[in-house]
Amino acid sequence: MFDQIDGRRRRLLGGAATTLVVASFGLPGSATAKASGNARRGKEATGATFGPLRQVDAGVLNVAYVDVGPANGPVVILLHGWPYDIHAFADVAPILAAKGFRVIVPYLRGYGATRFLASDTMRNGQQAAFAVDVIALMDALKIEKAVFGGFDWGARAANIVAALWPERCKALVSVSGYDVEDREADKAPLPPADEKRWWYEFYFTTERGRAGYDKYRREFAKLIWQLASPNWQFDDATFARSAAALDNPDQVSICIHNYRWRLGLAEGEAKYDALESKLAAAPVIAVPTITLEGDANGAPHLEPSAYARKFSGKYFHRQLKGGIGHNLPQEAPQAFASAIVDVSHL
């Protein structure tokens, strides 16, 4: 969470900042759109839930996922963030299924019913691991190519797949734009006001932070939800439905490693070194892309003009009005689903 595009990455993207490239490509809507429903009161979200989970061995994981829509439809893979879960897409998936898409929504490593196959596998939270998990899932399900959509950690995984495996990615919808971690830039200090926004990252570098997150997972997650989406009035049932995913036995290890790895305080795995070297160069994404941003996103993020050049293919940005925060798919599911449909035709 809060990791979409932070101040540290301004050094990476600042040189590429340009006037925002916004072209319609024949798509409905405009660069600034009003989300249907009212995010502040949660009118658009229905509280829907998914049917029975499916399980498949994929790479180092047994992945829990939902599979919605016609089996022969064009595939869409939706990826959630932290501290959220697959229910961020509970209203998006049926919209897409009704339009003929096959929608796959997996629990990421460390969430829900997804489990490691071996007890001695490193509980690794580095960025490349999540992307490799996605490719392994596609291979296990015999999916050659898909449209990807994601936010937060899920946006990062989707961005990486689009950048490094463009042959597997038909198109991309990414909340808060280009999201690839730059650990070298992360080493540079920020002004105090910016550092303050990363309080939890510093907390997680300590053993007290690890123990505190383990003990107060639900309280921690609810606070992050409130900070990231200050106008989203989610109810207790909505939160509890997703918070259950944090009971995964590997959640704490994955989360803590993720943030420590970013700061260079924890090592990753050598098998991902080549991928991380490619990501350190901030590769351009060439597949058709729509980026989305809510007007009430409480997470640190750059202006769209700062990352527009990172997308070299057909590209479109939509700024949503109506009090939409960080968890954009759940707060504005119709707008997110529309972006998926539109980008699939670019």
Side-chain angles (χ1 to χ4, degrees):
M1 218 291 311
F2 284 10
D3 49 340
Q4 254 43 43
I5 301 182
D6 61 42
R8 286 178 293 249
R9 289 172 57 206
R10 293 176 192 274
R11 296 171 179 81
L12 166 65
L13 296 177
T18 184
T19 301
L20 176 61
V21 179
V22 179
S24 69
F25 304 119
L27 298 178
S30 62
T32 301
K34 182 176 181 180
S36 59
N38 189 318
R40 295 184 191 127
R41 296 185 178 89
K43 285 184 177 179
E44 193 181 353
T46 66
T49 190
F50 290 115
L53 287 173
R54 302 188 183 195
Q55 307 275 158
V56 65
D57 288 350
V60 299
L61 300 171
N62 177 265
V63 179
Y65 68 101
V66 293
D67 191 335
V68 180
N72 61 347
V75 179
V76 175
I77 297 177
L78 303 177
L79 302 171
H80 68 83
W82 173 85
Y84 307 93
D85 84 326
I86 62 173
H87 291 96
F89 303 104
D91 291 304
V92 172
I95 297 172
L96 295 176
K99 294 182 179 296
F101 291 92
R102 178 187 178 191
V103 185
I104 308 293
V105 191
Y107 278 108
L108 303 184
R109 57 169 58 198
Y111 295 83
T114 291
R115 296 290 187 273
F116 285 88
L117 294 172
S119 60
D120 60 350
T121 301
M122 179 181 175
R123 273 41 179 175
N124 186 345
Q126 74 182 102
Q127 62 181 352
F130 286 95
V132 170
D133 289 346
V134 174
I135 296 297
L137 177 62
M138 294 179 73
D139 290 344
L141 298 179
K142 296 180 171 55
I143 295 170
E144 289 298 321
K145 203 165 191 175
V147 175
F148 283 87
F151 72 106
D152 200 82
W153 289 17
R156 177 171 296 124
N159 273 237
I160 293 172
V161 171
L164 300 187
W165 292 277
E167 72 279 4
R168 309 299 296 271
C169 180
K170 179 180 179 181
L172 171 68
V173 171
S174 180
V175 176
S176 294
Y178 185 82
D179 191 4
V180 175
E181 191 71 25
D182 182 356
R183 290 214 298 171
E184 283 303 309
D186 284 354
K187 294 177 181 178
L190 298 172
D194 291 330
E195 296 283 19
K196 179 182 177 181
R197 304 179 77 179
W198 289 93
W199 64 271
Y200 64 92
E201 185 174 66
F202 295 107
Y203 183 59
F204 286 162
T205 67
T206 69
E207 287 308 300
R208 177 188 176 95
R210 181 188 182 97
Y213 180 54
D214 192 11
K215 182 176 181 179
Y216 297 109
R217 285 184 226 186
R218 278 169 167 72
E219 294 88 346
F220 204 103
K222 180 172 283 191
L223 175 61
I224 295 298
W225 280 34
Q226 292 166 340
L227 293 173
S229 299
N231 295 327
W232 182 32
Q233 296 179 9
F234 56 88
D235 58 27
D236 290 341
T238 297
F239 175 74
R241 182 183 61 178
S242 290
L246 303 178
D247 292 336
N248 183 293
D250 300 309
Q251 166 61 205
V252 175
S253 295
I254 294 293
C255 180
I256 297 300
H257 183 262
N258 178 283
Y259 287 103
R260 292 182 182 182
W261 176 84
R262 293 187 208 180
L263 293 178
L265 301 177
E267 294 300 317
E269 293 180 86
K271 65 181 180 180
Y272 298 123
D273 285 353
L275 294 177
E276 294 294 353
S277 292
K278 293 179 180 179
L279 295 174
V284 170
I285 293 174
V287 305
T289 300
I290 293 177
T291 56
L292 300 173
E293 189 61 81
D295 62 344
N297 184 2
H301 57 279
L302 290 179
E303 290 300 314
S305 58
Y307 52 72
R309 281 189 180 174
K310 302 310 294 182
F311 302 100
S312 64
K314 294 180 179 179
Y315 173 63
F316 193 87
H317 178 77
R318 294 177 180 175
Q319 187 79 23
L320 302 186
K321 294 183 177 180
I324 308 301
H326 187 61
N327 186 0
L328 190 149
Q330 195 162 0
E331 297 175 62
Q334 185 62 60
F336 190 89
S338 294
I340 292 287
V341 173
D342 292 341
V343 81
S344 71
H345 294 123
L346 283 178

